[in-house]
Amino acid sequence: QVQLVESGGGLVQPGGSLRLSCAASGSIFSINFMGWYRQAPGKEREFVAVINSGRSTNYGDSVKGRFTISRDNAKNTVYLQMNSLKPEDTAVYYCHADINTAAGTFGSWGQGTQVTVSS
């Protein structure tokens, strides 16, 4: 069984910064890619950023230049540094990972963490 737990969400003013973390735990052999998605009220889930095992990254157009994804393979943890936050960044942010276990490879989701950007 694999579990992803996000942390670091909260309320921040426009122009501010937040750092999200997502730690994977359980019977993990290795992790292929780790990423972040977000979902605002009344909207579909949106891709934010992804990083693979070689640390290559890709970002959604709306966050390029403002957000940075990174990972610590020793800790099975992915981070999302969010700078220059805007009210439209308000959403529940979900961690997603493609994880190799003894039982096979599975895509796992975290429970989500709320980010609210408001003055």
Side-chain angles (χ1 to χ4, degrees):
Q1 195 77 3
V2 174
Q3 187 177 18
L4 297 177
V5 178
E6 300 107 332
S7 61
L11 173 64
V12 63
Q13 292 186 344
S17 298
L18 279 177
R19 188 192 195 209
L20 305 183
S21 300
C22 171
S25 62
S27 301
I28 299 171
F29 281 174
S30 61
I31 301 177
N32 299 323
F33 63 82
M34 303 184 82
W36 292 92
Y37 290 74
R38 66 186 183 186
Q39 189 165 19
K43 294 188 177 181
E44 294 185 353
R45 191 166 293 190
E46 174 190 20
F47 167 73
V48 175
V50 67
I51 184 168
N52 67 15
S53 57
R55 291 186 170 84
S56 293
T57 60
N58 193 25
Y59 296 90
D61 288 341
S62 61
V63 306
K64 282 180 182 177
R66 300 187 298 121
F67 291 11
T68 302
I69 190 171
S70 60
R71 65 188 282 176
D72 184 332
N73 290 333
K75 295 181 179 180
N76 290 330
T77 298
V78 63
Y79 306 96
L80 186 68
Q81 178 67 43
M82 305 185 294
N83 298 328
S84 302
L85 282 161
K86 305 175 182 180
E88 51 264 43
D89 294 316
T90 296
V92 177
Y93 283 70
Y94 296 92
C95 175
H96 177 62
D98 191 61
I99 299 175
N100 298 313
T101 72
T105 300
F106 301 95
S108 297
W109 289 91
Q111 82 288 352
T113 185
Q114 176 70 46
V115 171
T116 302
V117 184
S118 175
S119 55

